[in-house]
Amino acid sequence: MELLLDSLFNGVAIGSVLLVAALGLAIVFGLMGVINLAHGELMMLGAYTTYVTQLIFKLPILKPFYNSYIIVSIFLAFIVSGVVGILLEKTIIRKLYGSPLETLLATWGVSLILQQFVRSVPLAYGTGLVISLLIGLFLPTTFPSKIKESINFKYFKFSSWIFASLTGVLTGSVISSSVSKLSRASARNVDVTAPSWMRGQVEIIGTAFPKTRLMIIVITLISVIAITLFLNQSAWGMRIRAVTQNRQMSDCLGISTEKVDIITFGIGSGLAGVAGVAVSLLGSVGPNVGGNYIVGCFMVVVLGGVGNLLGTVLASFGIGIMTDLIGAGRLLSIWPDMPLPLSNTINFFATTSMARVMIFALIVIFLQFKPTGLFPQKGRMVEN
Amino acid sequence: MSLSKIKFDKKIVLSFWIILIALIIAAPTILPVFRLNLLGRYLSLSIVALGVDLIWGYTGLLSLGQGIFFALGGYCAAMYLQITSSSEFPNNIPEFFALYGVEKLPFFWEPFRSPVFTFLAIWIIPALVAGLIGFLVFRNRIKGVYFSILTQASLLVFFNFFNGQQKLINGTNGLKTDVTQLFGQMVGSESMQRIFFWITAILVIAAWFFAKWVVKGRFGNILIGIRDDEPRVRFTGYNPVIFKTIIFSIAGGLAGISGALYTVQSGIVSPQFMTVPFSIEMVIWVAVGGRGTLLGAILGAVFINYAKSLVSEALPASWMFIQGGLFILVVTALPEGVLGWIQGDGPRNLLQRFGLKRKIETYPSLEINNKEGNNE
């Protein structure tokens, strides 16, 4: 019993990291048909945001609130990755709708640039850049509609970008002068230390669980609930679902598909940032941290079926539990006296890397029976 | 995508070939050994680029897992070289086995004692693996980005397998070939490298002719048909699965040959050949050179790799930016690649923009004229 609970918990813990990482991807891929290979790098940005927030909260002014930095960083990471995602959508992805393979290559290029960016630009100035992007993108939308409709709006837009870049440079230099760790570019991995209330373990029914893992499960749970509520209850959620079902028709009925695309992509990218916070709790943060998760996320999306959050949830927990069962060789401890060839096989696959081999083989076998995943979209088209 | 080719005079074509052959023969004497070795490696990479072009440029299948077949070819060659030069080591097996306490050669190494088997295995094993993966995927009509994701996932699986199995194939350290013997000569020696360069150059030309032959005629037309409208091909009575599987295993075989040549010239094969970035890089060579143009794939592979080595020598940090920019630029601004742009309407459009060439009648207006006037 204890063993089973332990295994289940480990599986859920692995699965919830996968789920929070794959959630944004599932939304962007499922609703927009866009393959975003830079998703892992958006996660990395989220993880770095956690690191920067942590250091800023160590400053004397914010020191009393240090213990709550992780909560703040969840929101900040959502905003940072969301803003970068929106910029990505506005500049590159918008041009490539309808050609997913091209999007795939272009987003790979973006991911390379982002990786090199965190290596060769000091994090303080990176923060400044994100802040100026944030102001530049959102300040014009807050102007009253009278200004927006006037011919001179482009000058307002231009001056708000100037203001944004000045603010960005200012914040960058303030951060870089006050936090010395952020003032130099470095390719080395950094570590996020959990606040004291998150260290240690909790005992549930006689088994000890690390608190960080529980925190990740909580983050995942909240993200899933929030995104489900958003998609099903809010007006924009309804518009997003409408555009997913029939883009032309929604356009005809007066839904701004352009705005829907931006919002969808922004939320998907923002969720990648939240996933980055979760990932930063698990290990050290480096420029390559996203790459470790991206293929797993895609497997979740493929297995779960496109455009269905329930499929994504089931697929990630399924993969998580299977990874734990195979990777830790748990079947052996459940059934100790199994025949020798079988136990040899299980031992052969009982490492993290070999578990991946096995999981992939299982997914391919599964796709032989259900090629479009657990919950396929219904349709009568030849394509799809 | 326009496939119109510029027609060349026969004499020009002949003189082009003579110059090319002269350059290949003369290259080892002109270039220093280091540069020659680099050029040989890049030429061998252009063979895998040809395969990528066949499946992506002509058939529309974007594989992100060509590294699997590339590395398999490399491992086949390296296993043969290791095993033939292991006579002075304990148990007559390659040296690294002793590190892990392995005394008996794993069974799958045995056939690699035979050179004939190895020469066949270098391209047949990758082709078979490609055929198997391809068949399982295509059979279910999995295509587009799903195909790309699945190939990438299988790449990761192969990487994990080869990376984790120290006792079978030396795991993450890979197999070294530069200190092994082939026909009594050291593989890493200068004279051997020169021979490998010539073999590579000949094989690149052979692979080019082979690819040209593949895309010519009905078979090539069906491939292009699959790329442009697969359901229509299916409704016309062809089974796309067979054609896709065949072309995917051809590309796999080409990747295997390429991997073997690359391995003997770089001196090592390791799971690093199966990393995700390397396989995507192969796609960008073809994209920059011009997908759907075979020469573009070769030129793209050679020039981008050459640029990579030059830039990385001068400014190591900037190559990632340049490469990332290339991906974005080629997709958004130059979707047909450089050669496709030259062979298509690119130069004319550029000249028109500066007013250097008269604008030509566009297609719809010609159509309208035809409908109204003479019906020829």
Side-chain angles (χ1 to χ4, degrees):
Chain A
M1 179 62 205
E2 196 175 298
L3 200 74
L4 198 70
L5 201 70
D6 202 29
S7 173
L8 194 70
F9 177 78
N10 268 321
V12 168
I14 299 172
S16 60
V17 177
L18 264 181
L19 176 56
V20 72
L23 199 59
L25 201 67
I27 287 167
V28 170
F29 183 41
L31 302 185
M32 300 166 79
V34 165
I35 283 283
N36 184 9
L37 279 188
H39 192 79
E41 276 59 41
L42 292 171
M43 280 169 67
M44 169 201 69
L45 288 186
Y48 270 104
T49 310
T50 320
Y51 176 68
V52 171
T53 320
Q54 180 200 357
L55 288 187
I56 290 177
F57 268 73
K58 275 185 183 162
L59 289 177
I61 322 162
L62 292 167
K63 191 81 183 172
F65 310 104
Y66 179 73
N67 274 337
S68 63
Y69 87 85
I70 202 91
I71 312 285
V72 178
S73 67
I74 291 175
F75 293 100
L76 288 181
F78 184 87
I79 293 170
V80 168
S81 298
V83 164
V84 175
I86 286 173
L87 184 78
L88 193 64
E89 204 274 345
K90 281 194 161 207
T91 50
I92 297 165
I93 290 173
R94 174 169 299 175
K95 295 182 182 158
L96 298 170
Y97 284 127
S99 44
L101 296 182
E102 277 74 8
T103 322
L104 192 151
L105 293 178
T107 48
W108 175 258
V110 172
S111 80
L112 291 183
I113 291 177
L114 285 178
Q115 277 180 26
Q116 191 59 43
F117 182 84
V118 295
R119 278 199 200 102
S120 47
V121 175
L123 285 175
Y125 289 99
T127 318
L129 186 68
V130 171
I131 287 171
S132 48
L133 281 179
L134 185 68
I135 296 174
L137 285 173
F138 287 102
L139 192 62
T141 59
T142 58
F143 290 160
S145 56
K146 211 173 182 183
I147 299 181
K148 267 190 204 167
E149 281 152 19
S150 77
I151 309 168
N152 293 331
F153 183 51
K154 56 183 173 202
Y155 299 114
F156 281 100
K157 237 179 168 175
F158 184 68
S159 47
S160 72
W161 272 108
I162 290 179
F163 171 70
S165 30
L166 284 178
T167 327
V169 172
L170 196 69
T171 11
S173 26
V174 166
I175 295 175
S176 115
S177 59
S178 49
V179 187
S180 61
K181 269 187 188 171
L182 297 177
S183 60
R184 276 185 309 277
S186 129
R188 246 183 283 160
N189 284 11
V190 293
D191 279 306
V192 171
T193 44
S196 54
W197 57 272
M198 267 174 60
R199 282 178 225 148
Q201 295 182 323
V202 183
E203 274 203 16
I204 304 172
I205 334 175
T207 323
F209 299 124
K211 280 183 185 168
T212 45
R213 289 272 180 182
L214 281 178
M215 180 70 185
I216 291 171
I217 294 176
V218 171
I219 292 177
T220 311
L221 207 65
I222 292 173
S223 315
V224 172
I225 291 171
I227 205 71
T228 319
L229 282 179
F230 172 74
L231 283 180
N232 291 321
Q233 304 293 329
S234 74
W236 276 108
M238 192 173 68
R239 288 180 197 133
I240 289 175
R241 281 181 295 135
V243 173
T244 314
Q245 283 180 7
N246 194 332
R247 181 170 285 265
Q248 275 100 13
M249 204 49 163
S250 321
D251 208 1
C252 292
L253 291 173
I255 296 173
S256 165
T257 52
E258 212 174 88
K259 261 187 192 163
V260 166
D261 286 338
I262 291 182
I263 289 177
T264 318
F265 204 82
I267 288 177
S269 312
L271 284 173
V274 176
V277 180
V279 164
S280 74
L281 292 173
L282 286 178
S284 60
V285 176
N288 298 323
V289 73
N292 303 332
Y293 290 90
I294 188 80
V295 178
C297 295
F298 277 121
M299 292 326 307
V300 168
V301 175
V302 168
L303 188 62
V306 170
N308 191 316
L309 288 185
L310 184 64
T312 313
V313 173
L314 287 183
S316 40
F317 285 129
I319 291 181
I321 291 171
M322 288 303 283
T323 309
D324 185 60
L325 276 182
I326 298 168
R330 294 210 187 256
L331 285 177
L332 267 182
S333 35
I334 293 169
W335 182 23
D337 38 78
M338 66 172 73
L340 196 66
L342 200 59
S343 67
N344 277 345
T345 325
I346 285 177
N347 270 329
F348 185 70
F349 285 106
T351 56
T352 320
S353 59
M354 289 313 287
R356 274 186 164 184
V357 175
M358 189 71 185
I359 294 275
F360 175 72
L362 290 177
I363 289 175
V364 168
I365 293 170
F366 179 82
L367 289 178
Q368 296 298 308
F369 298 106
K370 294 204 93 163
T372 43
L374 284 170
F375 297 104
Q377 267 181 324
K378 288 195 181 68
R380 296 182 186 177
M381 299 275 283
V382 180
E383 298 287 338
N384 300 331
Chain B
M1 196 180 295
S2 132
L3 282 173
S4 63
K5 295 263 153 66
I6 303 165
K7 290 272 178 265
F8 286 118
D9 202 334
K10 263 192 181 167
K11 275 181 193 165
I12 299 178
V13 175
L14 194 69
S15 47
F16 166 76
W17 278 108
I18 290 171
I19 292 172
L20 187 71
I21 291 168
L23 276 180
I24 290 170
I25 294 171
T29 45
I30 302 171
L31 290 169
V33 181
F34 175 67
R35 293 281 161 201
L36 179 79
N37 180 258
L38 282 185
L39 185 64
R41 281 194 225 172
Y42 303 154
L43 279 174
S44 57
L45 289 177
S46 69
I47 299 179
V48 68
L50 271 178
V52 173
D53 199 14
L54 283 181
I55 51 172
W56 184 44
Y58 284 89
T59 324
L61 308 165
L62 178 57
S63 164
L64 302 180
Q66 291 306 99
I68 302 172
F69 319 121
F70 185 83
L72 281 178
Y75 269 104
C76 287
M79 277 158 82
Y80 168 72
L81 289 173
Q82 284 257 345
I83 211 164
T84 46
S85 22
S86 62
S87 47
E88 65 261 38
F89 299 126
N91 299 330
N92 279 345
I93 57 175
E95 198 181 9
F96 72 87
F97 280 122
L99 295 175
Y100 311 110
V102 179
E103 283 171 3
K104 201 171 156 290
L105 202 61
F107 68 95
F108 64 89
W109 279 73
E110 289 295 342
F112 286 96
R113 287 189 193 281
S114 131
V116 181
F117 176 83
T118 307
F119 281 121
L120 292 176
I122 282 171
W123 56 277
I124 287 182
I125 288 181
L128 282 180
V129 173
L132 183 71
I133 295 178
F135 179 71
L136 287 180
V137 174
F138 299 137
R139 200 175 71 98
N140 290 309
R141 296 186 188 169
I142 294 172
K143 56 190 167 193
V145 283
Y146 289 93
F147 173 73
S148 309
I149 296 170
L150 281 178
T151 47
Q152 191 176 49
S154 22
L155 178 75
L156 216 70
V157 162
F158 274 84
F159 172 78
N160 277 318
F161 184 85
F162 278 79
N163 208 23
Q165 298 303 320
Q166 270 92 1
K167 290 185 177 176
L168 298 179
I169 25 130
N170 204 15
T172 181
N173 301 319
L175 303 176
K176 281 207 164 135
T177 61
D178 51 357
V179 286
T180 54
Q181 308 269 324
L182 181 64
F183 307 128
Q185 286 230 18
M186 191 98 113
V187 169
S189 71
E190 251 177 65
S191 57
M192 267 320 241
Q193 288 300 316
R194 205 170 298 145
I195 293 169
F196 280 131
F197 174 78
W198 279 324
I199 294 175
T200 311
I202 292 166
L203 280 178
V204 169
I205 295 171
W208 185 42
F209 276 111
F210 172 71
K212 271 183 103 145
W213 174 74
V214 165
V215 298
K216 207 176 62 182
R218 282 174 76 105
F219 188 78
N221 286 345
I222 292 171
L223 295 183
I224 293 172
I226 289 173
R227 177 189 74 192
D228 292 340
D229 196 343
E230 191 180 332
R232 196 185 269 188
V233 172
R234 200 162 66 230
F235 296 155
T236 330
Y238 294 98
N239 187 358
V241 177
I242 297 169
F243 293 98
K244 280 156 93 175
T245 312
I246 290 174
I247 197 69
F248 194 52
S249 40
I250 287 176
L254 285 175
I257 296 170
S258 165
L261 290 171
Y262 189 82
T263 300
V264 291
Q265 293 183 77
S266 64
I268 190 169
V269 58
S270 75
Q272 288 307 309
F273 289 3
M274 289 195 244
T275 49
V276 171
F278 185 54
S279 290
I280 301 189
E281 261 175 52
M282 294 174 187
V283 176
I284 204 65
W285 305 334
V286 177
V288 170
R291 69 179 115 141
T293 61
L294 295 171
L295 198 59
I298 297 177
L299 294 177
V302 174
F303 278 110
I304 293 207
N305 279 299
Y306 200 67
K308 179 182 181 176
S309 73
L310 287 184
V311 174
S312 310
E313 279 165 29
L315 302 157
S318 66
W319 175 247
M320 287 272 272
F321 284 126
I322 294 175
Q323 201 189 13
L326 258 184
F327 270 99
I328 298 168
L329 191 78
V330 84
V331 164
T332 50
L334 209 63
E336 292 179 1
V338 174
L339 208 70
W341 184 80
I342 292 172
Q343 285 180 354
D345 293 332
R348 182 185 285 132
N349 286 345
L350 194 70
L351 288 178
Q352 271 174 16
R353 187 160 291 178
F354 294 109
L356 293 174
K357 204 157 191 172
R358 202 167 59 84
K359 285 202 173 177
I360 53 159
E361 294 283 316
T362 50
Y363 183 61
S365 79
L366 285 176
E367 204 169 43
I368 293 164
N369 286 343
N370 260 350
K371 266 177 199 162
E372 284 167 359
N374 53 340
N375 229 356
E376 268 188 8

